[in-house]
Amino acid sequence: MKFNNLLFYVILCFMYVTSQAQKNNLSKLTIPEIMQGDGFVGHLPSHVNWSNNSDKIYFDWNPEAALSDSLYLYHLKNDKFSKVDFETEYALASFDFIFNTDKTKKVYTKHGDVFLVDVSSNKTLQVTQTMDYESQAHFTDNDNKIAYVNEKNIYTWDLETGTTTQVTNFVNKEKTEKPKSEKDIWLEKDQLELFEVLRTRKEKSDKHDSLMTRFDTKKPLKIVLDGKSVINQKMSPDGKYVTYVTAKKPENKKTIMPHYVTESGYTENENTRSKVGDEPTEYSMFVYDIANKNNYPVVLDNLDGLDYIPEYTKEYPDKPYKNDNRIGYISGPTWSPDGNYAVLDIIANDYKDRWIVLLNVEDGTIENLNHQHDEAWIAGPGIGGYGGGVLGWMPDNKSIWYQSEKTGYSHLYTLNVNSKKEKALTAGSFEIYNPQISKDQKRWYFTANKNHPGDRQFYSMPIQGGTITALTERIGNNEVVLSPDEKQMAILYSYTNKPTELYVKANPLFASKATSPKQITYSTTKVFNDYPWKDPEIISFKADDGAQVHARLYQPKTEVKNKAAVIFVHGAGYLQNAHKWWSSYYREYMFHNLLVDNGYTVLDIDYRGSAGYGRDWRTGIYRHMGGKDLSDQVDGAEYLIKNYGIDADKIGIYGGSYGGFITLMAMFNEAETFKAGAAIRSVGDWAAYNHGYTARILNTPVTDSLAYKRSSPIYFAEGLQGDLLILHGMIDDNVHFQDMVRLSQRLIELGKENWEMAIYPIERHGFVEPSSWTDEYLRIYKLFQESLLKE
């Protein structure tokens, strides 16, 4: 009876919440239902891979709405899919592997062990089976051995004999005896002078120790790290050398983040990231000559432009600029397939330079091949990620390929390492993504937004450049994974109002006739499918500085139009949302449908700093976040007023993370334009954010304080006039809750009353609980209803 009463109470509460959400809501949709996320939309397929013989597709999926995704298998021959059981999945070869030179064998690591596969027979041999964690497996010694890393050290396994050999001997510190005092030295000397037996024993002991040192010559050279970590350990293809990188990480102060709602009932502290302005990690590369037991550094002193002093420092003539060692992360070496050449990919620790250099492994010297420089920061597709860019070798074994923003867009280039002759393979006002060379080495495959910034298709092109041929055609996002024989394409395809599904299609380059993609998965729920999801128009408008700004425009029906508008600001800064595929902001997309049903016009802008539009757009926020990225929102609002009959007094703005930051800047600096704003998990002060992201755009607070002062909302809080809603998770380890606590104190001291804060005690940066999402968006909807429509 008690249980029935409780169940009735729960149902009653749910009906009350739903009715409150539906109050003044003209839409069939409700906020509680759309904020269920995957539970409402459906669990979509992801992480696609092929079997070795190209007859099966593996992918992660969850059609049963279980607690997590599972591995599924689709059979092309019988057009059926099945769930892969645990034992089969555990024994399945990894899809991340490395071939030997002639591609007859491949090696991979899985579950912390090393495995070798014979390609022709598809037989797998487990090389290691330990409780330790082995990684970074690759072929060496002219494909006769497999090298891998266990703990810090490299080991090899001989394919013929099965012998395991330790190649390196990295130790943290050299063991040394405590120095003797002068008193003890005198006492020992006196003892030896007095007693012949002691003298004789010592002579024998010293002789034994001397003889024992001969055994050390047969062991790997001891390399003392002295507190540094060792990373990126690799053996050369001929097995003669080991290259490795050491990283000396400074002790940067961390931020303590309390957890108030815990299983223990006690407040528990989490030690999270530091703040921007960290002392940089010192990276150094070394070569270990195995046979000669010689360890020496890779000398990088001759990198082009290594002594560069950033232009922004001219604004601080009385402040000396100091960056004694600009070397940042070192990737590679990437060896040519014939083992004759090796290249390194190096990024500066101030993020303004990328160097691709040729490494002479015999003496540790380098030769400059390609130098990419940006006054702002190096980035763009395939160029300047946190682990370096992408590059590889052309079939001639003498030329490398890489991506560069040389023309303003990320394109594909080759360069001969001997002649230094560079060649552009692609060009135009579009960007290249994920290039790969075909199995026969006669063509390229890549994705590009060639037709429109918001449309991505899969293409092929001759290996030396030329005509680009589209292999997909449906507008949207075509994320293609080729089968090993390259005759089939597995496609994760989505459109604006059609969530991602898995399709398969014959590669047009090998097909005798044109075929249409065949849909394999059907993931969306009935309740999702019952609603006619809107296909917003992709428009562009002219900003005050003449730039064309792309945006998604959602328009309501005339009979419900309320002349109010909401501008949505996507997060991450360098991200794209005005596109023609299913958005990663899918909850927000559904919320926009609800807003439009209720008469709102919605604009979703790819403001300055967004991805997909080339270098100048990407760096448009350099040294002033809240500059052009904010003025683009204002220009968007003016565009709506002028062209779509929007009332100037009925414009709101909202967004999360970077979008929350822009919302704060809009409410503080553009009060005449925006009457209400909802700032979700927002940055209030860039000096409190992390180093890797912020230092790229604003440099550091110590070296470029002006950039931080003009970019941080906390300095402009006095400008608040409209209604502001702040929403933040208390255990956000990305944008710390402390940031909004500081901002709230600033608003209190300024005497501002037209703001409120909603806090979520168990949420990090990316909310998880549907109840939190629901509470968040009920408050946002209420804000717009009351502030813009005066309900």
Side-chain angles (χ1 to χ4, degrees), residues 675-741:
K675 306 308 175 185
I680 311 167
R681 46 190 174 275
S682 319
V683 175
D685 184 353
W686 286 110
Y689 198 52
N690 71 38
H691 185 87
Y693 178 88
T694 321
R696 281 172 160 81
I697 305 172
L698 299 181
N699 305 304
T700 68
V702 172
T703 63
D704 199 2
S705 57
L706 293 175
Y708 283 81
K709 287 286 180 70
R710 62 175 164 242
S711 300
S712 297
I714 197 167
Y715 295 106
F716 302 98
E718 66 274 8
L720 178 64
Q721 295 181 30
D723 297 324
L724 173 63
L725 172 63
I726 299 171
L727 310 105
H728 213 102
M730 293 185 75
I731 56 171
D732 189 334
D733 50 2
N734 182 1
V735 181
H736 293 149
F737 179 58
Q738 179 194 23
D739 206 356
M740 288 301 98
V741 174

Coordinates of all heavy atoms in Angstrom, one line a residue, residues 675-741:
K675 N 17.7 42.2 -24.1 CA 16.9 42.4 -23.0 C 17.0 41.3 -21.9 O 16.6 41.5 -20.8 CB 15.5 42.7 -23.4 CG 15.3 43.8 -24.4 CD 16.0 45.1 -24.1 CE 15.9 46.1 -25.2 NZ 16.7 47.3 -24.9
A676 N 17.4 40.1 -22.4 CA 17.5 39.0 -21.4 C 18.5 38.1 -21.9 O 18.7 37.9 -23.2 CB 16.1 38.3 -21.3
G677 N 19.2 37.4 -21.0 CA 20.2 36.5 -21.4 C 20.4 35.3 -20.4 O 20.2 35.6 -19.2
A678 N 20.6 34.1 -20.9 CA 20.8 33.0 -20.0 C 22.2 32.5 -20.3 O 22.5 32.0 -21.4 CB 19.8 31.9 -20.3
A679 N 23.1 32.6 -19.3 CA 24.5 32.2 -19.4 C 24.7 30.9 -18.7 O 24.6 30.8 -17.5 CB 25.4 33.3 -18.8
I680 N 25.1 29.8 -19.5 CA 25.2 28.5 -19.0 C 26.7 28.1 -19.0 O 27.4 28.3 -19.9 CB 24.5 27.5 -19.9 CG1 23.0 28.0 -20.2 CG2 24.5 26.1 -19.3 CD1 22.4 27.2 -21.3
R681 N 27.1 27.6 -17.8 CA 28.5 27.1 -17.6 C 29.5 28.1 -18.3 O 30.4 27.7 -19.1 CB 28.7 25.7 -18.1 CG 28.2 25.3 -19.4 CD 28.2 23.8 -19.7 NE 27.6 23.4 -20.9 CZ 26.3 23.1 -21.0 NH1 25.5 23.2 -19.9 NH2 25.7 22.8 -22.2
S682 N 29.4 29.3 -17.9 CA 30.1 30.4 -18.6 C 31.5 30.7 -18.0 O 31.7 30.6 -16.8 CB 29.3 31.7 -18.5 OG 27.9 31.4 -18.7
V683 N 32.3 31.3 -18.9 CA 33.6 31.8 -18.4 C 33.3 33.3 -18.1 O 32.9 34.1 -18.9 CB 34.7 31.8 -19.5 CG1 35.9 32.5 -19.1 CG2 35.0 30.3 -19.8
G684 N 33.7 33.7 -16.8 CA 33.5 35.0 -16.4 C 34.8 35.8 -16.4 O 34.8 37.1 -16.4
D685 N 35.9 35.1 -16.3 CA 37.2 35.7 -16.3 C 38.2 34.8 -16.9 O 38.5 33.7 -16.4 CB 37.6 36.0 -14.8 CG 38.9 36.8 -14.7 OD1 39.6 37.0 -15.8 OD2 39.3 37.2 -13.6
W686 N 38.7 35.2 -18.1 CA 39.6 34.3 -18.8 C 40.9 34.0 -18.1 O 41.6 33.0 -18.3 CB 39.9 34.8 -20.2 CG 38.7 34.7 -21.2 CD1 37.9 35.7 -21.6 CD2 38.2 33.4 -21.7 NE1 37.0 35.1 -22.4 CE2 37.1 33.8 -22.5 CE3 38.6 32.1 -21.6 CZ2 36.4 32.8 -23.2 CZ3 37.9 31.1 -22.2 CH2 36.8 31.5 -23.0
A687 N 41.3 34.8 -17.1 CA 42.5 34.6 -16.3 C 42.3 33.3 -15.4 O 43.2 32.8 -14.9 CB 42.8 35.8 -15.5
A688 N 41.0 32.9 -15.3 CA 40.7 31.7 -14.4 C 40.6 30.5 -15.3 O 40.3 29.4 -14.7 CB 39.4 32.0 -13.6
Y689 N 40.7 30.6 -16.6 CA 40.5 29.4 -17.4 C 41.8 28.7 -17.7 O 42.9 29.1 -17.2 CB 39.8 29.8 -18.8 CG 39.2 28.6 -19.5 CD1 38.3 27.7 -18.8 CD2 39.5 28.3 -20.8 CE1 37.8 26.6 -19.5 CE2 39.0 27.2 -21.5 CZ 38.1 26.4 -20.8 OH 37.6 25.3 -21.4
N690 N 41.8 27.6 -18.4 CA 43.0 26.7 -18.6 C 44.0 27.4 -19.5 O 43.7 28.3 -20.3 CB 42.7 25.3 -19.0 CG 42.2 25.2 -20.4 OD1 42.6 25.9 -21.3 ND2 41.2 24.3 -20.6
H691 N 45.2 26.8 -19.5 CA 46.3 27.4 -20.3 C 46.3 27.0 -21.8 O 46.4 27.9 -22.6 CB 47.7 27.0 -19.7 CG 48.8 27.6 -20.4 ND1 49.3 28.9 -20.0 CD2 49.6 27.2 -21.4 CE1 50.4 29.2 -20.8 NE2 50.5 28.2 -21.6
G692 N 46.1 25.7 -22.0 CA 46.2 25.3 -23.4 C 45.2 26.0 -24.4 O 45.6 26.2 -25.5
Y693 N 44.0 26.3 -23.9 CA 43.0 26.9 -24.8 C 43.2 28.5 -24.8 O 43.4 29.1 -25.8 CB 41.6 26.6 -24.3 CG 40.5 27.3 -25.1 CD1 40.0 26.7 -26.2 CD2 40.0 28.6 -24.7 CE1 38.9 27.3 -26.9 CE2 39.0 29.2 -25.4 CZ 38.5 28.6 -26.5 OH 37.5 29.2 -27.2
T694 N 43.3 29.0 -23.6 CA 43.3 30.5 -23.5 C 44.6 31.1 -24.0 O 44.5 32.2 -24.6 CB 43.1 30.9 -22.0 OG1 42.1 30.0 -21.4 CG2 42.6 32.3 -21.9
A695 N 45.7 30.5 -23.7 CA 47.0 31.2 -24.1 C 47.2 31.2 -25.6 O 48.0 32.0 -26.1 CB 48.2 30.4 -23.4
R696 N 46.5 30.4 -26.3 CA 46.5 30.5 -27.8 C 45.9 31.7 -28.2 O 46.4 32.4 -29.2 CB 45.8 29.3 -28.4 CG 46.6 28.0 -28.4 CD 45.7 26.8 -28.8 NE 46.5 25.7 -29.3 CZ 47.0 24.8 -28.5 NH1 46.9 24.9 -27.2 NH2 47.7 23.8 -29.1
I697 N 44.8 32.2 -27.6 CA 44.0 33.3 -28.1 C 44.4 34.6 -27.5 O 44.4 35.6 -28.1 CB 42.5 33.0 -27.9 CG1 42.2 31.6 -28.5 CG2 41.6 34.0 -28.5 CD1 40.8 31.1 -28.2
L698 N 44.6 34.5 -26.2 CA 44.9 35.8 -25.4 C 46.3 35.9 -24.9 O 46.6 36.8 -24.1 CB 43.9 35.9 -24.2 CG 42.4 35.9 -24.6 CD1 41.6 36.1 -23.3 CD2 42.1 37.1 -25.5
N699 N 47.2 35.0 -25.3 CA 48.6 35.0 -24.7 C 48.4 34.7 -23.2 O 47.6 33.8 -22.8 CB 49.3 36.2 -25.1 CG 49.3 36.5 -26.6 OD1 49.7 35.6 -27.4 ND2 48.8 37.6 -27.0
T700 N 49.2 35.3 -22.4 CA 49.0 35.1 -20.9 C 48.7 36.4 -20.2 O 49.1 37.5 -20.6 CB 50.3 34.4 -20.3 OG1 51.4 35.4 -20.3 CG2 50.7 33.2 -21.1
P701 N 48.1 36.3 -19.0 CA 47.8 37.5 -18.2 C 49.0 38.3 -17.9 O 48.9 39.6 -17.9 CB 47.1 36.9 -17.0 CG 46.6 35.6 -17.4 CD 47.6 35.1 -18.3
V702 N 50.1 37.7 -17.6 CA 51.3 38.4 -17.3 C 51.9 39.2 -18.5 O 52.3 40.3 -18.4 CB 52.4 37.5 -16.7 CG1 53.7 38.2 -16.5 CG2 51.9 36.9 -15.3
T703 N 51.9 38.5 -19.7 CA 52.5 39.2 -20.8 C 51.5 40.0 -21.6 O 52.0 40.9 -22.4 CB 53.1 38.1 -21.8 OG1 52.0 37.3 -22.3 CG2 54.1 37.2 -21.1
D704 N 50.2 39.8 -21.5 CA 49.3 40.5 -22.3 C 48.0 40.8 -21.5 O 46.9 40.4 -21.8 CB 48.9 39.7 -23.6 CG 48.3 40.5 -24.7 OD1 48.1 41.7 -24.5 OD2 47.9 39.9 -25.7
S705 N 48.2 41.6 -20.5 CA 47.1 41.9 -19.5 C 46.0 42.7 -20.2 O 44.8 42.5 -19.9 CB 47.6 42.7 -18.4 OG 48.3 43.9 -18.8
L706 N 46.3 43.5 -21.2 CA 45.2 44.2 -21.9 C 44.2 43.3 -22.6 O 43.0 43.6 -22.6 CB 45.9 45.1 -23.0 CG 46.7 46.3 -22.5 CD1 47.4 47.0 -23.7 CD2 45.9 47.3 -21.7
A707 N 44.7 42.2 -23.2 CA 43.8 41.2 -23.8 C 42.8 40.6 -22.8 O 41.7 40.4 -23.2 CB 44.7 40.2 -24.5
Y708 N 43.3 40.4 -21.6 CA 42.4 39.7 -20.6 C 41.4 40.8 -20.1 O 40.3 40.4 -19.8 CB 43.3 39.1 -19.5 CG 43.9 37.8 -19.9 CD1 45.0 37.8 -20.7 CD2 43.3 36.6 -19.6 CE1 45.6 36.6 -21.1 CE2 43.8 35.4 -20.0 CZ 45.0 35.4 -20.8 OH 45.5 34.2 -21.2
K709 N 41.9 42.0 -19.9 CA 41.0 43.0 -19.4 C 39.8 43.3 -20.3 O 38.7 43.5 -19.9 CB 41.8 44.3 -19.1 CG 42.7 44.2 -17.9 CD 41.9 44.3 -16.6 CE 42.9 44.2 -15.4 NZ 43.7 45.4 -15.2
R710 N 40.1 43.3 -21.6 CA 39.0 43.7 -22.6 C 38.2 42.4 -23.0 O 37.2 42.6 -23.7 CB 39.6 44.3 -23.8 CG 40.6 43.5 -24.6 CD 40.9 44.3 -25.9 NE 42.1 43.7 -26.5 CZ 43.3 44.4 -26.7 NH1 43.4 45.6 -26.3 NH2 44.3 43.8 -27.3
S711 N 38.6 41.2 -22.5 CA 38.0 40.0 -22.9 C 37.2 39.3 -21.8 O 36.5 38.4 -22.1 CB 39.0 39.0 -23.5 OG 39.7 39.5 -24.6
S712 N 37.3 39.8 -20.6 CA 36.7 39.1 -19.5 C 35.4 39.8 -19.0 O 35.5 41.0 -18.6 CB 37.7 39.0 -18.3 OG 38.8 38.1 -18.8
P713 N 34.3 39.2 -18.9 CA 33.0 39.8 -18.5 C 33.1 40.5 -17.1 O 32.4 41.5 -16.9 CB 32.0 38.6 -18.5 CG 32.6 37.7 -19.5 CD 34.1 37.8 -19.4
I714 N 33.9 39.9 -16.2 CA 33.8 40.4 -14.9 C 34.2 41.9 -14.8 O 33.8 42.6 -13.9 CB 34.8 39.6 -13.9 CG1 34.4 39.8 -12.5 CG2 36.2 39.8 -14.3 CD1 35.1 38.8 -11.5
Y715 N 35.0 42.4 -15.8 CA 35.4 43.8 -15.8 C 34.3 44.7 -16.4 O 34.4 45.9 -16.3 CB 36.6 44.0 -16.7 CG 37.8 43.3 -16.1 CD1 38.3 42.1 -16.6 CD2 38.5 43.8 -15.0 CE1 39.4 41.5 -16.1 CE2 39.6 43.1 -14.4 CZ 40.1 42.0 -15.0 OH 41.2 41.3 -14.4
F716 N 33.2 44.1 -16.9 CA 32.1 44.9 -17.5 C 30.8 44.7 -16.8 O 29.8 45.2 -17.4 CB 32.0 44.6 -19.0 CG 33.3 44.7 -19.8 CD1 34.1 43.6 -20.0 CD2 33.7 46.0 -20.2 CE1 35.3 43.8 -20.7 CE2 34.9 46.1 -20.9 CZ 35.7 45.0 -21.2
A717 N 30.8 44.1 -15.7 CA 29.5 43.8 -15.0 C 28.6 45.0 -14.7 O 27.4 44.8 -14.6 CB 29.8 43.0 -13.7
E718 N 29.2 46.1 -14.5 CA 28.5 47.3 -14.2 C 27.5 47.7 -15.3 O 26.5 48.4 -15.1 CB 29.4 48.5 -13.9 CG 30.2 49.0 -15.1 CD 31.5 48.3 -15.3 OE1 31.7 47.3 -14.6 OE2 32.3 48.7 -16.2
G719 N 27.7 47.1 -16.5 CA 26.8 47.5 -17.7 C 25.5 46.7 -17.7 O 24.7 46.9 -18.6
L720 N 25.3 45.8 -16.8 CA 24.1 45.0 -16.8 C 22.8 45.8 -16.6 O 22.7 46.6 -15.6 CB 24.2 43.9 -15.7 CG 22.9 43.0 -15.6 CD1 22.7 42.2 -16.8 CD2 23.0 42.1 -14.3
Q721 N 21.9 45.7 -17.5 CA 20.6 46.3 -17.4 C 19.4 45.4 -17.6 O 18.5 45.5 -16.9 CB 20.5 47.4 -18.5 CG 21.5 48.6 -18.3 CD 21.3 49.6 -19.4 OE1 20.2 49.9 -19.9 NE2 22.4 50.3 -19.7
G722 N 19.5 44.4 -18.5 CA 18.5 43.5 -18.7 C 18.5 42.4 -17.7 O 19.2 42.4 -16.7
D723 N 17.6 41.4 -17.9 CA 17.5 40.3 -17.0 C 18.5 39.2 -17.3 O 18.5 38.6 -18.4 CB 16.1 39.7 -17.0 CG 15.0 40.8 -16.6 OD1 15.3 41.6 -15.7 OD2 13.9 40.8 -17.2
L724 N 19.3 38.8 -16.3 CA 20.3 37.8 -16.5 C 20.1 36.6 -15.6 O 19.9 36.7 -14.4 CB 21.7 38.4 -16.2 CG 22.9 37.5 -16.2 CD1 23.1 36.9 -17.5 CD2 24.2 38.2 -15.6
L725 N 20.2 35.4 -16.3 CA 20.1 34.1 -15.6 C 21.4 33.4 -15.8 O 21.9 33.2 -16.9 CB 18.9 33.3 -16.2 CG 18.8 31.9 -15.7 CD1 18.6 31.8 -14.2 CD2 17.8 31.1 -16.5
I726 N 22.0 33.1 -14.7 CA 23.3 32.3 -14.7 C 23.0 30.9 -14.2 O 22.4 30.7 -13.2 CB 24.4 33.0 -13.7 CG1 24.7 34.4 -14.2 CG2 25.6 32.2 -13.7 CD1 25.5 35.2 -13.2
L727 N 23.6 29.9 -15.0 CA 23.3 28.5 -14.6 C 24.7 27.8 -14.7 O 25.4 27.9 -15.7 CB 22.4 27.9 -15.6 CG 21.0 28.6 -15.8 CD1 21.1 29.3 -17.2 CD2 19.8 27.7 -15.8
H728 N 25.0 27.1 -13.6 CA 26.4 26.5 -13.5 C 26.4 25.2 -12.7 O 25.7 25.2 -11.6 CB 27.4 27.5 -13.0 CG 28.7 27.4 -13.6 ND1 29.2 28.2 -14.5 CD2 29.7 26.5 -13.3 CE1 30.4 27.9 -14.9 NE2 30.8 26.9 -14.2
G729 N 27.2 24.2 -13.1 CA 27.4 23.0 -12.3 C 28.5 23.3 -11.2 O 29.5 23.9 -11.5
M730 N 28.2 22.8 -10.0 CA 29.2 23.1 -9.0 C 30.4 22.3 -9.0 O 31.5 22.6 -8.4 CB 28.5 22.8 -7.6 CG 27.4 23.8 -7.3 SD 26.7 23.6 -5.7 CE 28.0 24.3 -4.7
I731 N 30.4 21.1 -9.8 CA 31.6 20.3 -9.9 C 32.1 20.4 -11.4 O 32.6 19.4 -11.9 CB 31.5 18.9 -9.4 CG1 30.3 18.2 -10.1 CG2 31.3 18.9 -7.9 CD1 30.2 16.7 -9.8
D732 N 32.0 21.6 -12.0 CA 32.5 21.8 -13.3 C 34.0 21.9 -13.3 O 34.6 22.8 -12.8 CB 31.9 23.1 -13.9 CG 32.2 23.3 -15.4 OD1 33.2 22.8 -15.8 OD2 31.4 24.0 -16.0
D733 N 34.7 20.8 -13.8 CA 36.1 20.8 -13.8 C 36.7 21.4 -15.0 O 38.0 21.4 -15.2 CB 36.7 19.4 -13.5 CG 36.1 18.4 -14.5 OD1 35.3 18.8 -15.4 OD2 36.4 17.2 -14.4
N734 N 35.9 22.0 -15.9 CA 36.4 22.7 -17.1 C 36.3 24.2 -16.8 O 37.3 24.9 -16.7 CB 35.5 22.3 -18.3 CG 36.0 23.0 -19.5 OD1 37.0 23.7 -19.6 ND2 35.3 22.7 -20.6
V735 N 35.1 24.7 -16.7 CA 34.9 26.1 -16.2 C 34.5 26.1 -14.8 O 33.4 25.7 -14.5 CB 33.9 26.9 -17.1 CG1 33.7 28.3 -16.6 CG2 34.2 26.8 -18.6
H736 N 35.4 26.4 -13.9 CA 35.1 26.2 -12.5 C 34.0 27.0 -12.0 O 33.8 28.2 -12.4 CB 36.4 26.5 -11.7 CG 37.5 25.6 -11.9 ND1 38.8 25.9 -11.8 CD2 37.5 24.2 -12.3 CE1 39.6 24.9 -12.1 NE2 38.8 23.8 -12.4
F737 N 33.2 26.4 -11.1 CA 32.1 27.1 -10.4 C 32.6 28.4 -9.7 O 31.9 29.4 -9.6 CB 31.4 26.2 -9.4 CG 30.3 26.8 -8.7 CD1 29.2 27.4 -9.3 CD2 30.3 26.9 -7.3 CE1 28.1 27.9 -8.6 CE2 29.2 27.4 -6.6 CZ 28.1 28.0 -7.3
Q738 N 33.8 28.4 -9.3 CA 34.5 29.5 -8.6 C 34.4 30.8 -9.5 O 34.2 31.9 -9.0 CB 35.9 29.2 -8.3 CG 36.7 30.4 -7.7 CD 38.2 30.2 -7.7 OE1 38.7 29.5 -8.5 NE2 38.9 30.9 -6.8
D739 N 34.4 30.6 -10.8 CA 34.4 31.7 -11.7 C 33.1 32.5 -11.6 O 33.0 33.7 -11.5 CB 34.5 31.2 -13.2 CG 35.1 32.2 -14.1 OD1 35.3 33.4 -13.7 OD2 35.3 31.9 -15.3
M740 N 31.9 31.7 -11.5 CA 30.6 32.4 -11.3 C 30.4 32.9 -9.9 O 29.7 33.9 -9.7 CB 29.5 31.4 -11.7 CG 29.4 31.2 -13.2 SD 29.2 32.7 -14.2 CE 30.8 33.1 -14.7
V741 N 31.0 32.3 -8.9 CA 31.0 32.8 -7.6 C 31.6 34.2 -7.5 O 31.1 35.1 -6.9 CB 31.6 31.8 -6.6 CG1 31.7 32.4 -5.2 CG2 30.9 30.5 -6.5

